[in-house]
Amino acid sequence: MTTVAPLVEVDGLVKHFPGDRGPWPLARRRRPVRAVDGVSLRIAAGRTLGLVGESGCGKSTVGRSILRLIEPDAGRVVLDGVDVLACRPRELRGLRRRMQIVFQDPYGSLNPRMTVRQALREPLVIHHLARGSEIDRRIAGLLEEVGLDPAFADSYPHELSGGQRQRVGIARALSVEPSFLVLDEPVSALDVSVQAQVLNLLSELQQRRKLTYLFIAHDLAVVRHSADEVAVMYLGKIVEQGPAETLYRAPRHPYTASLLSAVPVPDPRASRQRIVLQGDVPSPANPPPGCPFHPRCPHPRKNDRCRTEPPPLRAVGPDQLAACHFAEEPM
Amino acid sequence: MTEPLLRVRDLKTYFVTERGGGTARAVDGVSFDVYPGETLGIVGESGCGKTVTSLSILRLIPEPPGHILSGSLIEFEGRNLLTLRPPELRAIRGNEVAMIFQEPMTSLNPVFTVGDQIAEAAIVHQRLPRKQARARAIEMLRLVGIPDPEERVDHYPHQLSGGMSQRVMIAMALVCHPKLLIADEPTTALDVTIQAQILELLDRLQAELGMAVLLITHDLGIVAGTSDRVVVMYAGQVVETAATPELFAHPLHPYTEGLMAAVPRIDTRVSQVRGRLHTIPGQVPAASGWPAGCRFHPRCPYAWDRCTAEEPPLLDAGRGEPGSHAVRCWLLTEPRRRTPQA
């Protein structure tokens, strides 16, 4: 897709969570949840891949499996030539300096008993990045870089607003000078005016530090603003992938088209054709046979083939991939 | 002109803050009307007082720590809800005025079937016998588009998805055919395809049942697609109100203007996409200490000394019918100060 060698390569990633036994001791195990079912991605250095989908589609599991915060069942993850899944614990700890994550919930991901200084100090000490007075200088520098007054270093998380907490979360991820960041819904807990501030900050940091982002979000407008490439997930699989411009202008998978048409547009004059999908997302423990999207698919050409034969993710245009038997035909 | 169904005048709902002594002026002098059959959108960010406003209407504010100040008026069809005695209020709640909440999963009682919960309002308000109430519950489930309603009526909330739960909430709210439905962030917890289903459902039911809807949301996109008129709230006050097309075409309050520019959009041309988003500097102030003067002045790009000293009233923008577009901003008196921002 790009001539630059990718910084992050993911091939055939699989994560199935075993089914629980349910409330009764003798009950049979439930079916495993196929959270991620063969996902492959490439992210070029310095670029942003947006990973979008609805809740339960497996997008967060992909992000966490890449960092091995969750151990995937199968697949290959390569970060800058290093096979992440083959790393032993000691090597993995070293690798964690190069890949970090920013979580959605800045309330839940900061320890309420630690001041901002303590939270930022920990990674610096663990990775032997600074000692003595150098630590405080680094902390002040990090806070300034994310647009916070260094005086916040002695605050506790509850004394900060949501936007300030998210800035601390970003500072903590940056403290070890990573090259790759997984941003897992980094702005969805924030108000619109604050969300814009954090999105601008993320794009400034990307330029200044040459960061590579995997930007996971359910909000397609936010992803459109942030991503160079976009991958759309449904029931553990990528159903469409391509450059952001192309994918938003001319989606080829009926799921992408429906998702885009469902986003409310802040313009009362906008006359758009809305595709309202029927029904709910099926359970990832029991995905439909054939194309996983077929029970909700509004495509006029939908037929028996969709019900039996899973469509492969295939090239449907320059740099664009879609998993639909009828991707070339108009909706 | 028709009489408003709901008149809210100078509503003030204050809370005693935890550490004692302090007062959070969550809603601080809010006025608006809802006319029969229309959708009024109240839009604003967290902490602006939109939810407290909606809860105050049905007197669902826990007292203490909250209280609605005397001098506030909430009039539904000519009756002041703030002075009604509890039995009279109960006759209105869930009957003539109903409400749905953001978290459908936590708003349903986990130990009763959805049928029981829908039937309850019909039994209480319309004195339907059990059997008929059950039939009514099935009919409501069908109305809100739940497949196999005869079977679903005996299901418990944990057996439903988020979208289904919100449909059940809507069925519960509409069982007595209310004249006014208050919907507080009804789709915020839902995925975008499910949100589209629920918004379409509300739209259809409103047309079929002829009810008015007071829609509380933080999402300008939802307001644009559903509301006839919009009230923008900031720091416990109404800062701008106008008909929806007018508001989006001519936002006059710097907060409204900033909010609209800060939303990343899906419908802009590619060349406009990857730039910086417009931001509103700073953050929403706390309700225990609103800024003096205009409450938006610390974040406003146009503010001058008058804004820091004197609180602006809601001023008529002089567009369309008198009072149809009102703005709480001194710029209306000195429009030349609205200079293009860098």
Side-chain angles (χ1 to χ4, degrees):
Chain A
M1 296 209 170
T2 43
T3 46
V4 199
L7 182 82
V8 182
E9 290 175 79
V10 179
D11 277 303
L13 193 71
V14 173
K15 177 66 194 178
H16 293 181
F17 292 102
D20 57 17
R21 279 188 194 277
W24 296 280
L26 296 175
R28 264 187 306 164
R29 262 188 193 285
R30 294 186 191 156
R31 285 160 172 270
V33 172
R34 302 161 75 159
V36 178
D37 215 6
V39 162
S40 302
L41 301 166
R42 299 270 175 285
I43 316 177
R47 311 273 275 176
T48 300
L49 175 73
L51 188 57
V52 299
E54 298 181 279
S55 28
C57 72
K59 56 191 189 301
S60 288
T61 307
V62 168
R64 283 161 205 216
S65 301
I66 292 174
L67 303 184
R68 278 182 71 185
L69 297 175
I70 292 174
E71 290 291 341
D73 297 329
R76 206 171 73 99
V77 175
V78 177
L79 174 74
D80 205 6
V82 182
D83 188 335
V84 178
L85 302 187
C87 276
R88 301 151 75 80
R90 176 178 284 274
E91 299 166 306
L92 184 63
R93 224 171 300 144
L95 205 58
R96 287 263 156 79
R97 266 200 63 189
R98 318 215 30 210
M99 47 186 206
Q100 283 289 316
I101 184 165
V102 175
F103 294 100
Q104 164 174 2
D105 179 8
Y107 302 77
S109 55
L110 291 173
N111 186 333
R113 292 196 180 84
M114 279 175 139
T115 62
V116 170
R117 186 189 308 282
Q118 289 167 323
L120 294 179
R121 193 189 146 86
E122 229 174 24
L124 295 175
V125 171
I126 288 172
H127 290 282
H128 312 290
L129 295 172
R131 54 192 346 188
S133 61
E134 169 67 10
I135 292 181
D136 281 343
R137 267 222 313 283
R138 290 281 280 272
I139 290 172
L142 281 166
L143 289 176
E144 264 169 21
E145 195 173 359
V146 298
L148 286 177
D149 191 314
F152 279 112
D154 297 308
S155 312
Y156 285 92
H158 75 266
E159 298 172 292
L160 306 177
S161 71
Q164 289 166 341
R165 267 184 274 232
Q166 194 56 294
R167 286 172 194 267
V168 173
I170 295 169
R172 185 177 53 177
L174 292 178
S175 61
V176 296
E177 293 166 1
S179 46
F180 173 55
L181 278 189
V182 172
L183 306 167
D184 191 357
E185 300 271 11
V187 297
S188 27
L190 306 176
D191 273 317
V192 172
S193 68
V194 180
Q195 168 181 299
Q197 295 170 2
V198 173
L199 288 174
N200 285 346
L201 172 69
L202 286 171
S203 88
E204 284 161 27
L205 291 170
Q206 179 169 41
Q207 281 170 16
R208 195 179 320 134
R209 291 185 169 235
K210 310 269 176 286
L211 294 168
T212 305
Y213 287 160
L214 176 64
F215 195 114
I216 300 171
H218 70 283
D219 184 328
L220 287 117
V222 165
V223 168
R224 166 154 205 185
H225 182 82
S226 313
D228 303 292
E229 292 237 346
V230 177
V232 182
M233 279 188 77
Y234 189 76
L235 283 176
K237 292 193 164 74
I238 291 180
V239 296
E240 183 159 10
Q241 191 175 351
E245 291 175 28
T246 326
L247 190 129
Y248 280 79
R249 182 168 32 83
R252 292 298 193 85
H253 196 285
Y255 179 61
T256 315
S258 322
L259 265 185
L260 288 172
S261 85
V263 177
V265 171
D267 179 359
R269 291 165 308 173
S271 58
R272 295 191 311 157
Q273 219 187 347
R274 230 200 213 167
I275 311 165
V276 177
L277 290 181
Q278 300 306 307
D280 285 315
V281 180
S283 158
N286 193 13
C291 171
F293 186 58
H294 86 257
R296 302 175 78 198
C297 182
H299 202 294
R301 292 287 311 271
K302 177 167 80 172
N303 62 19
D304 281 339
R305 194 176 162 203
C306 305
R307 288 175 200 105
T308 51
E309 187 188 326
L313 188 63
R314 62 195 172 90
V316 293
D319 294 339
Q320 198 171 4
L321 306 172
C324 174
H325 294 308
F326 301 106
E328 282 81 4
E329 317 215 2
M331 284 270 294
Chain B
M1 213 163 156
T2 46
E3 281 293 302
L5 186 67
L6 179 77
R7 289 205 314 147
V8 175
R9 286 292 172 277
D10 204 25
L11 175 66
K12 290 184 177 166
T13 308
Y14 291 2
F15 291 83
V16 178
T17 53
E18 245 173 69
R19 284 174 201 160
T23 303
R25 292 181 287 161
V27 175
D28 206 11
V30 162
S31 303
F32 58 86
D33 292 328
V34 183
Y35 289 92
E38 77 164 347
T39 299
L40 177 72
I42 298 189
V43 65
E45 297 181 284
S46 24
C48 74
K50 56 191 192 301
T51 292
V52 174
T53 300
S54 71
L55 292 172
S56 299
I57 294 171
L58 283 178
R59 282 171 56 190
L60 295 172
I61 297 289
E63 299 186 37
H67 69 289
I68 297 175
L69 271 67
S70 59
S72 307
L73 176 76
I74 293 176
E75 204 177 71
F76 179 75
E77 292 192 315
R79 286 165 290 174
N80 186 355
L81 300 187
L82 295 178
T83 55
L84 286 187
R85 295 142 58 82
E88 299 167 319
L89 189 63
R90 275 199 299 273
I92 290 179
R93 266 189 204 152
N95 188 22
E96 292 179 80
V97 183
M99 188 155 180
I100 52 178
F101 302 91
Q102 175 174 349
E103 295 279 343
M105 312 296 256
T106 54
S107 307
L108 291 170
N109 189 329
V111 301
F112 289 100
T113 65
V114 301
D116 287 339
Q117 296 185 59
I118 298 170
E120 186 184 7
I123 294 169
V124 170
H125 291 296
Q126 302 180 336
R127 311 204 176 278
L128 287 190
R130 289 216 152 257
K131 229 177 175 172
Q132 276 182 43
R134 183 184 156 88
R136 184 104 171 85
I138 294 172
E139 182 194 320
M140 290 310 295
L141 287 174
R142 188 172 291 120
L143 181 74
V144 297
I146 288 187
D148 310 320
E150 287 88 355
E151 202 175 307
R152 285 288 181 183
V153 73
D154 295 319
H155 279 198
Y156 287 88
H158 76 268
Q159 294 169 290
L160 306 173
S161 66
M164 286 292 170
S165 310
Q166 194 55 291
R167 285 174 193 264
V168 168
M169 285 290 297
I170 293 171
M172 270 170 74
L174 301 188
V175 70
C176 297
H177 289 190
K179 292 172 184 155
L180 174 65
L181 177 69
I182 302 173
D184 186 2
E185 302 270 13
T187 59
T188 306
L190 305 175
D191 276 317
V192 64
T193 61
I194 308 300
Q195 165 172 287
Q197 292 174 1
I198 296 294
L199 291 176
E200 193 190 55
L201 172 69
L202 281 175
D203 196 45
R204 175 171 65 84
L205 293 176
Q206 181 173 25
E208 276 174 27
L209 308 175
M211 64 186 173
V213 175
L214 180 62
L215 180 77
I216 317 280
T217 178
H218 70 281
D219 189 329
L220 284 166
I222 292 180
V223 166
T226 56
S227 303
D228 301 300
R229 291 186 306 122
V230 186
V231 166
V232 183
M233 282 187 70
Y234 184 79
Q237 297 178 320
V238 174
V239 294
E240 183 159 8
T241 171
T244 309
E246 163 74 6
L247 185 88
F248 281 85
H250 302 283
L252 290 176
H253 197 285
Y255 177 64
T256 319
E257 197 182 41
L259 209 53
M260 286 186 185
V263 187
R265 296 179 59 152
I266 208 161
D267 58 335
T268 40
R269 250 171 266 113
V270 173
S271 54
Q272 297 168 277
V273 173
R274 285 301 300 271
R276 281 181 63 84
L277 283 169
H278 175 88
T279 60
I280 303 176
Q283 58 219 354
V284 179
S288 47
W290 301 126
C294 169
R295 293 177 184 182
F296 187 60
H297 87 257
R299 308 178 73 188
C300 181
Y302 312 107
W304 70 98
D305 21 333
R306 185 173 192 185
C307 309
T308 60
E310 221 181 319
E311 184 165 337
L314 266 176
L315 299 166
D316 188 11
R319 301 178 55 91
E321 270 182 63
S324 68
H325 189 167
V327 188
R328 190 183 293 280
C329 180
W330 290 125
L331 274 176
L332 261 65
T333 61
E334 291 185 55
R336 264 179 304 165
R337 288 190 180 263
R338 191 188 292 270
T339 48
Q341 294 300 304

